[in-house]
Amino acid sequence: VAPGMTNTLMYRTWLATQPDPDLIYRQTLASIPQGRLAEAVDVAAAIAYLASNDASHVTGASIAVDGGYTAT
C-alpha cells in the first residue's frame, strides 16, 4: 500500500510549520484529482482488502491510496 498525503498528526504538524499553511493546504488539495487528503480509514481499507479473501489472487501489486495524485 502506497499512501499519498494523508490527514494525520504528522501532516498537520508539518503544515503548521509552513509560512502560509492555508496556501500550502489549498495547493496540496489542488494537486490531488479527488480534491481531498486521504484519511487513515482510506489507507486502512486498502490494507483490509489485501488481507481479505477478495485479494487472494493479488500478488506483487502496489496500491496507491492517493486520490489520483500519481495517476496525473
Side-chain angles (χ1 to χ4, degrees):
V1 174
M5 286 286 197
T6 305
N7 185 15
T8 63
L9 177 60
M10 186 166 76
Y11 174 78
R12 292 187 302 272
T13 300
W14 169 81
L15 186 61
T17 68
Q18 301 308 298
D20 188 343
D22 290 333
L23 175 63
I24 297 297
Y25 182 72
R26 287 192 310 273
Q27 289 174 333
T28 300
L29 294 186
S31 71
I32 301 170
Q34 287 188 347
R36 68 176 181 88
L37 297 177
E39 296 293 334
V41 69
D42 297 317
V43 179
I47 294 167
Y49 163 69
L50 288 173
S52 75
N53 287 336
D54 291 337
S56 65
H57 207 65
V58 175
T59 61
S62 176
I63 298 178
V65 182
D66 64 4
Y69 178 80
T70 55
T72 58

